[in-house]
Amino acid sequence: MAKRTSHVQSLTNISVDTSSVIQIGDSKVLDAVSNVLAVQREKAIFYENEFLFRDYFTFCEPIDVPVITEPLEITTCHETSAICVNKVRVNFLAASSVLHVGSNESICLGSRVKNIRHIMKDADKNQK
């Protein structure tokens, strides 16, 4: 990996979500994983240990990493030893995302989200 100096004049960011990275400068490995279990209920009553990641296939299923079978040939030309960026403006970095200015050898990102909505039946709503 070529070592470079990274210069960023201005960076504006409004929000960074869980397991996200803002990296200015070189990094050898970036690894960001986010598991989100989002539960929405009309009546906000929750019990301890009611929702566990292990109870949902979404979080237990292994992720198949693609295997590269064809040979890769990469030619790079670094005319200077610096990466210069004038302005970066990012409104939001979602779960397990990366804003990276610099060299990197390896990156692995993953995000799994399970949304659950419990909506009350009309009969249950009338009993409120």
Side-chain angles (χ1 to χ4, degrees):
M1 175 177 78
K3 293 186 179 187
R4 320 259 319 260
T5 302
S6 299
H7 300 275
V8 177
Q9 186 69 31
S10 170
L11 170 65
T12 304
N13 181 273
I14 294 174
S15 182
V16 178
D17 203 355
T18 58
S19 191
S20 295
V21 176
I22 295 176
Q23 173 76 30
I24 298 174
D26 294 347
S27 58
K28 185 168 177 93
V29 176
L30 283 175
D31 192 2
V33 177
S34 176
N35 290 325
V36 177
L37 186 54
V39 180
Q40 179 184 12
R41 289 184 168 161
E42 282 187 275
K43 194 170 185 180
I45 298 173
F46 295 92
Y47 303 99
E48 189 175 341
N49 297 324
E50 183 178 14
F51 298 99
L52 303 173
F53 288 118
R54 68 173 182 246
D55 294 336
Y56 298 93
F57 181 72
T58 303
F59 303 107
C60 301
E61 178 183 20
I63 296 175
D64 294 330
V65 178
V67 177
I68 300 171
T69 55
E70 65 275 359
L72 293 176
E73 204 171 302
I74 299 173
T75 304
T76 59
C77 176
H78 302 291
E79 294 180 3
T80 67
S81 61
I83 298 170
C84 298
V85 177
N86 185 26
K87 183 178 181 181
V88 178
R89 184 176 187 275
V90 177
N91 289 333
F92 183 72
L93 290 180
S96 293
S97 59
V98 174
L99 183 139
H100 186 231
V101 179
S103 298
N104 182 282
E105 191 171 295
S106 173
I107 186 166
C108 181
L109 307 174
S111 182
R112 296 180 186 207
V113 178
K114 173 76 175 172
N115 287 292
I116 299 171
R117 289 181 176 76
H118 290 174
I119 308 299
M120 297 173 69
K121 297 177 185 174
D122 287 335
D124 294 336
K125 288 181 184 178
N126 293 335
Q127 292 178 357
K128 279 186 167 179

